[in-house]
């Protein structure tokens, strides 16, 4: 069985990290709709902000997410949430991009952001600890390698973290990350524009 499901025009890679409780129920309700219109879910979180806010973080498979994209996702998931009604109180719906210091939820995130700083937690002890901070220096199908930011005495300079042990991960905002994220965004939007021009030319 393949690890990806064909949805829309692209194969959607499953998430390594998923929600629990009510957040998980909401994610299960909206994820098929989000994938159907060509986006992928990053995270769902219900918070007490402004009474109650349901934050849906998502992106295109190429990592971009515009204000128009957020509006499109919001319009698609609102009626689904109204029908299923998983939240028993009034709430604000907020659709956003993952941001530059993004949560890392798919294997491809680690390959895409090689060379950048990450902080993460594991669900089990890895090399006698559960919290790590360092540069992503390698990633494969099974896990990723961090070059420790500030190794303690006796620590190995690098640590290999299996994806099966990952509980949470997030990029750390640096000047290099901002530069590379803006460059990747510009490149992806140029590719989108080129594809749109090709489609317009085919009509």
């Amino acid at each position: 069985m393949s690890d990806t499901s064909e949805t829309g025009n692209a194969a959607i890679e499953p998430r390594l990290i998923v929600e629990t409780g009510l957040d998980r129920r909401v994610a299960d309700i909206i994820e098929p709709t989000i994938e159907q219109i060509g986006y992928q879910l990053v995270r769902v979180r219900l918070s007490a902000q402004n009474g109650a806010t349901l934050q849906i973080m998502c992106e295109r498979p190429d990592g971009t997410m515009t204000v128009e994209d957020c509006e499109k996702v919001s319009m698609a998931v609102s009626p689904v949430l109204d029908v299923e009604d998983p939240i028993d109180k009034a709430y604000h719906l907020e659709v956003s991009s993952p941001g530059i210091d993004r949560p890392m939820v798919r294997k491809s995130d680690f390959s895409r952001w090689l060379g950048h700083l990450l902080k993460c937690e594991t669900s089990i002890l890895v090399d006698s600890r559960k919290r790590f901070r360092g540069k992503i220096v390698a990633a494969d199908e099974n896990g990723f390698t961090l070059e420790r930011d500030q190794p303690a005495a006796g620590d190995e300079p690098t640590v290999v973290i299996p994806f099966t042990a990952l509980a949470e991960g997030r990029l750390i905002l640096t000047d290099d990350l901002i530069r590379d994220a803006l460059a990747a965004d510009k490149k992806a939007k140029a590719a989108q524009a080129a594809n749109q021009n090709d489609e317009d030319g085919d009509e």
Side-chain angles (χ1 to χ4, degrees):
M1 192 173 85
S2 170
D3 273 352
T4 55
S5 58
E6 291 291 338
T7 313
N9 297 322
I12 299 290
E13 181 188 348
R15 293 183 297 155
L16 297 164
I17 298 170
V18 294
E19 300 76 10
T20 57
L22 182 56
D23 290 347
R24 174 66 181 270
R25 188 170 170 221
V26 172
D28 288 345
I29 289 168
I30 64 172
E31 194 161 19
T33 301
I34 287 173
E35 291 178 354
Q36 201 169 11
I37 58 172
Y39 300 89
Q40 52 189 24
L41 183 64
V42 175
R43 190 182 72 192
V44 169
R45 181 168 291 171
L46 183 63
S47 72
Q49 188 180 339
N50 297 330
T53 298
L54 178 64
Q55 184 197 47
I56 299 171
M57 209 179 262
C58 53
E59 63 188 348
R60 290 173 180 256
D62 64 9
T64 61
M65 193 70 181
T66 65
V67 173
E68 291 76 19
D69 290 327
C70 290
E71 289 172 355
K72 188 176 174 183
V73 170
S74 181
M75 288 174 66
V77 301
S78 289
V80 178
L81 288 168
D82 287 345
V83 170
E84 296 290 339
D85 200 20
I87 302 167
D88 62 358
K89 58 184 173 182
Y91 62 90
H92 303 278
L93 178 62
E94 180 185 288
V95 177
S96 69
S97 74
I100 294 177
D101 53 343
R102 55 168 304 130
M104 306 285 272
V105 299
R106 288 179 168 86
K107 292 179 181 181
S108 59
D109 293 340
F110 293 84
S111 303
R112 182 178 286 174
W113 298 107
L114 278 174
H116 290 286
L117 279 176
L118 170 84
K119 57 181 177 183
C120 67
E121 288 190 31
T122 55
S123 54
I124 56 172
L125 289 174
V126 175
D127 205 11
S128 304
R129 66 181 63 210
K130 286 188 173 184
R131 291 187 176 183
F132 300 88
R133 177 187 160 116
K135 185 190 292 184
I136 308 166
V137 292
D140 60 23
E141 183 63 24
N142 300 313
F144 59 97
T145 304
L146 280 188
E147 185 180 274
R148 295 181 198 263
D149 196 17
Q150 295 172 324
D155 280 346
E156 291 292 326
T158 61
V159 59
V160 177
I161 299 174
F163 285 129
T164 52
L166 186 66
E168 188 176 351
R170 180 181 279 277
L171 289 176
I172 296 170
L173 201 60
T174 63
D175 289 344
D176 286 346
L177 177 60
I178 293 169
R179 183 197 66 226
D180 287 359
L182 291 175
D185 190 58
K186 187 176 179 182
K187 185 177 176 183
K189 284 178 178 169
Q192 285 173 24
N195 287 340
Q196 187 61 49
N197 288 338
D198 287 346
E199 287 172 14
D200 292 345
D202 289 342
E203 287 177 5

